[in-house]
Amino acid sequence: MKAKVFVSLKPGVLDPQGKAIQHSVELLGFSGIADVRQGKYFEIALQDSADQEQARQSVTRIAREVLSNPIIEDYLVEIEA
Amino acid sequence: MKFGIIVFPGSNCDHDAYHVISKQVGQPVDFIWHRDTDLKSFDALIIPGGFSYGDYLRAGALARFSPVMDSVKKFAASGGFVLGICNGFQILCEAGLLPGALIRNRDLSFICEHLCVRVETSDTPYTNEMTPGSVLRIPIAHAEGNYVCDDATLAELQREDRIVFRYCEPSGAVTEATNPNGSRDNIAGICNQSRNVLGLMPHPERACEDLLGSSDGRDIFRSLAATLAAA
């Protein structure tokens, strides 16, 4: 079983790295890019015997308490069987 | 009175702080390894600058889980003095001992330069020897010093006189042009509600000798030592 956690900056929190990436993308010739936001992606491998609902609860807690800072970031948890 | 300096893997301003306390303030001081949990013999703690855990994940995020941090929280809750400098400020925010967070500088660059901060309040153990409005010339050295918090937190910090230092002109004027990193309200340092925990991005321990370009940082450590001496 695998868990995927996506961490992104909350709307409104300045993302200077995203802005710099957007600028580079535009220099490459792409137009019509309204915004770029940079985030983080984590893969967590779980023992196959783990209960899916329990795994979701555990990974959600890990995402909330370690992987993200709730003051500036949101997270999204996906569990893959 | 005894000072303790907490050392995480990756701390690199620990010896500067030790030097200032032992040589400039003239008080007993010891290093505390991050796996130690006994803080009974200390009256004040300094969480020094550096790159604890290599700044992995977020600056200060992993240091929060070091064994010593539970003891630091209890120490702070019982009124003990905790001073977080630069990475120490980031750790205090991640640990929930101070509100808000420190994110990437507005212009992305690592900034290392002397600049000015205005003392906003003398009502802390760290600034009670200073006059509000006075200006300290102290260096910053960080890539993640952009202080953010929500509107309610900012209003609370302002209302409770908990913004301790703001980036300013040498004249003391606080302007957007003197904001090096995009920090909300030019915030360079804040304290907690009980005023015993202070976090600041500038490095006062690097500004304690004229030979180093400024000795303005000494006032912060001297205020704290005077508070401890009077206690």
Side-chain angles (χ1 to χ4, degrees), chain B residues 100-184:
Chain B
L102 293 144
I103 63 168
R104 201 67 186 259
N105 292 346
R106 177 187 47 204
D107 299 326
L108 283 169
S109 46
F110 186 100
I111 309 169
C112 183
E113 63 184 14
H114 272 80
L115 43 66
C116 293
V117 295
R118 189 172 75 188
V119 179
E120 299 293 87
T121 173
S122 58
D123 183 19
T124 80
Y126 308 90
T127 55
N128 56 16
E129 300 266 294
M130 305 176 211
T131 314
S134 57
V135 174
L136 308 179
R137 194 164 164 274
I138 298 182
I140 57 166
H142 61 246
E144 279 100 10
N146 181 349
Y147 181 79
V148 295
C149 63
D150 59 24
D151 294 345
T153 304
L154 181 65
E156 187 180 296
L157 290 172
Q158 291 168 338
R159 191 176 59 244
E160 296 176 353
D161 193 26
R162 288 166 54 194
I163 299 170
V164 184
F165 301 107
R166 276 199 178 92
Y167 300 109
C168 71
E169 309 267 1
S171 67
V174 170
T175 63
E176 189 48 39
T178 61
N179 188 338
N181 50 28
S183 285
R184 207 155 179 201

Side-chain angles (χ1 to χ4, degrees), chain B residues 3-230:
Chain B
F3 287 78
I5 294 164
I6 299 174
V7 183
F8 297 95
S11 297
N12 65 12
C13 302
D14 41 348
H15 284 269
D16 307 57
Y18 187 99
H19 172 80
V20 166
I21 299 300
S22 61
K23 303 289 186 214
Q24 298 292 334
V25 184
Q27 294 298 332
V29 53
D30 248 337
F31 292 117
I32 303 164
W33 182 233
H34 73 113
R35 290 192 179 283
D36 294 341
T37 53
D38 182 0
L39 303 176
K40 276 201 293 291
S41 62
F42 297 100
D43 302 296
L45 302 176
I46 297 175
I47 306 184
F51 298 87
S52 57
Y53 293 89
D55 270 359
Y56 296 165
L57 190 62
R58 297 177 305 278
L62 299 186
R64 168 161 85 89
F65 297 100
S66 273
V68 74
M69 286 308 292
D70 272 339
S71 304
V72 171
K73 282 183 183 173
K74 288 184 192 126
F75 185 87
S78 63
F81 301 116
V82 182
L83 169 62
I85 300 168
C86 195
N87 189 224
F89 185 14
Q90 295 162 339
I91 293 168
L92 289 173
C93 286
E94 283 284 341
L97 285 166
L98 290 172
L102 293 144
I103 63 168
R104 201 67 186 259
N105 292 346
R106 177 187 47 204
D107 299 326
L108 283 169
S109 46
F110 186 100
I111 309 169
C112 183
E113 63 184 14
H114 272 80
L115 43 66
C116 293
V117 295
R118 189 172 75 188
V119 179
E120 299 293 87
T121 173
S122 58
D123 183 19
T124 80
Y126 308 90
T127 55
N128 56 16
E129 300 266 294
M130 305 176 211
T131 314
S134 57
V135 174
L136 308 179
R137 194 164 164 274
I138 298 182
I140 57 166
H142 61 246
E144 279 100 10
N146 181 349
Y147 181 79
V148 295
C149 63
D150 59 24
D151 294 345
T153 304
L154 181 65
E156 187 180 296
L157 290 172
Q158 291 168 338
R159 191 176 59 244
E160 296 176 353
D161 193 26
R162 288 166 54 194
I163 299 170
V164 184
F165 301 107
R166 276 199 178 92
Y167 300 109
C168 71
E169 309 267 1
S171 67
V174 170
T175 63
E176 189 48 39
T178 61
N179 188 338
N181 50 28
S183 285
R184 207 155 179 201
D185 205 23
N186 278 46
I187 286 175
I190 55 168
C191 67
N192 66 343
Q193 210 155 23
S194 320
R195 316 191 81 79
N196 56 319
V197 178
L198 171 74
L200 77 168
M201 287 313 296
H203 284 272
E205 83 285 11
R206 296 188 190 176
C208 289
E209 282 159 271
D210 293 334
L211 188 64
L212 299 178
S214 170
S215 55
D216 291 354
R218 259 195 314 218
D219 294 347
I220 294 174
F221 300 102
R222 286 186 171 167
S223 289
L224 180 56
T227 304
L228 284 167

